[in-house]
């Protein structure tokens, strides 16, 4: 589900509640990948990023990280940020407070052991969260992240559609949501086909892909609101 059609009041709440974009004069945007690691796709994503000198944030599902620990460790060693995307990818508004905390804390324990650092960013599965969920996640020490560019790559009919939906919105400070894995084992070949073109188009515009951590780091130069700012978007159903 895209949030573009929601009322301004709801979009305003999203912008206040989630990190969706970072106003910056630096020529960089955050690349984020959800639902991995995946042994057949994540290594290819890492290879493409390394080729162009880009970094990214990987919002990992805990049980996938548990199954493929070496990939998480290799991504962290290469300078990528490892972030929390719950253990089993549930729809959080439908689970209990206890289950929410179990999902977050179990994944944190796994990722900390594999990456050598505690994750600090969190993305709710399918982008769905309530104010109460966000308060609890913040109490656990996390900042919730969505984004401003979401080409709906899991549901796109082809790579060309993903490219078209992404390239038109590339700009400094924005956060791009893509998928290197799946909570249900679904293929992500279209994303892999689109990614080299997206990276090439970024480079042609003088943009470098970075992690969310780096985008908001001390090197970011604040330059006021981004012009023609798109609304926040959430991943929606996958």
């Amino acid at each position: 589900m895209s949030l573009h059609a929601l009322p301004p009041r709801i979009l305003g709440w999203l912008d206040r509640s989630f990190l969706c974009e970072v106003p910056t004069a630096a020529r960089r945007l955050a690349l984020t990948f959800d639902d991995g690691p995946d042994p057949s796709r994540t290594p290819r994503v890492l290879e493409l990023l390394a080729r162009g000198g880009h970094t990214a944030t990987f919002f990992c599902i805990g049980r996938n990280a548990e199954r493929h620990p070496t990939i998480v460790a290799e991504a962290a060693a290469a300078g990528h940020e490892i972030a929390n995307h719950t253990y089993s990818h549930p729809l959080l508004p439908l689970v209990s407070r206890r289950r929410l905390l179990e999902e977050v804390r179990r994944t944190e324990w796994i990722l900390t052991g594999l990456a050598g650092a505690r994750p600090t960013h969190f993305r709710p599965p399918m982008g769905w969260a309530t104010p109460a969920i966000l308060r609890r996640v913040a109490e656990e020490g996390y900042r919730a992240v969505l984004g401003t560019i979401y080409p709906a790559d899991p549901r796109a009919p082809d790579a060309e559609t993903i490219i078209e939906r992404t390239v038109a919105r590339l700009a400094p400070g924005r956060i791009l949501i893509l998928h290197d894995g799946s909570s249900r084992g679904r293929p992500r070949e279209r994303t892999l086909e689109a990614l080299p073109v997206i990276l090439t188009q970024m480079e042609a515009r003088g943009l470098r892909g970075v992690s969310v951590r780096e985008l908001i780091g001390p090197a970011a130069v604040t330059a006021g609101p981004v012009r023609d700012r798109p609304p926040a978007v959430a991943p929606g159903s996958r």
Side-chain angles (χ1 to χ4, degrees):
M1 172 184 176
S2 172
L3 301 187
H4 289 91
L6 291 180
R9 178 176 61 85
I10 302 299
L11 292 174
W13 175 79
L14 285 169
D15 281 340
R16 292 190 301 272
S17 303
F18 293 90
L19 178 65
C20 297
E21 180 175 17
V22 177
T24 178
R27 300 292 300 174
R28 57 192 182 183
L29 61 83
L31 298 173
T32 69
F33 295 88
D34 287 8
D35 296 354
D38 179 274
S40 64
R41 291 176 278 270
T42 307
R44 176 60 175 158
V45 172
L46 293 173
E47 177 186 337
L48 291 169
L49 294 175
R51 187 181 301 171
H54 305 286
T55 55
T57 297
F58 289 86
F59 286 92
C60 296
I61 295 175
R63 65 185 178 192
N64 287 349
E66 214 169 33
R67 293 167 181 162
H68 311 293
T70 302
I71 299 175
V72 178
E74 289 175 350
H80 301 288
E81 179 183 10
I82 306 301
N84 195 322
H85 199 42
T86 72
Y87 182 79
S88 64
H89 204 270
L91 190 61
L92 293 181
L94 302 182
V95 306
S96 67
R97 181 181 186 275
R98 178 177 179 180
R99 169 82 182 279
L100 166 65
L101 295 178
E102 288 175 349
E103 290 277 340
V104 173
R105 291 173 179 174
R106 185 174 183 181
T107 302
E108 178 181 311
W109 182 83
I110 293 167
L111 298 181
T112 300
L114 295 176
R118 179 189 175 278
T120 58
H121 290 120
F122 174 82
R123 178 172 285 158
M126 296 166 283
W128 288 93
T130 64
I133 289 170
L134 294 178
R135 284 194 299 270
R136 289 165 188 155
V137 168
E139 289 167 358
E140 293 295 304
Y142 287 93
R143 187 170 188 182
V145 179
L146 289 183
T148 38
I149 309 174
Y150 179 52
D153 54 320
R155 301 189 303 276
D158 49 46
E160 289 72 21
T161 300
I162 298 171
I163 294 165
E164 180 180 352
R165 292 172 177 174
T166 301
V167 169
R169 307 184 72 204
L170 294 173
R174 293 182 179 172
I175 298 173
L176 170 60
I177 304 169
L178 294 170
H179 294 75
D180 64 318
S182 169
S183 62
R184 301 173 184 175
R186 293 174 176 168
R188 294 289 182 253
E189 279 71 21
R190 292 185 295 267
T191 302
L192 283 178
E193 292 171 15
L195 184 57
V197 179
I198 291 171
L199 295 177
T200 298
Q201 291 294 323
M202 285 171 49
E203 293 159 8
R205 290 162 171 76
L207 292 167
R208 185 169 71 89
V210 298
S211 65
V212 173
R213 177 179 58 202
E214 186 175 352
L215 186 67
I216 65 176
V221 180
T222 300
V226 176
R227 294 185 178 181
D228 191 28
R229 189 177 186 277
V233 295
S237 299
R238 294 169 192 170

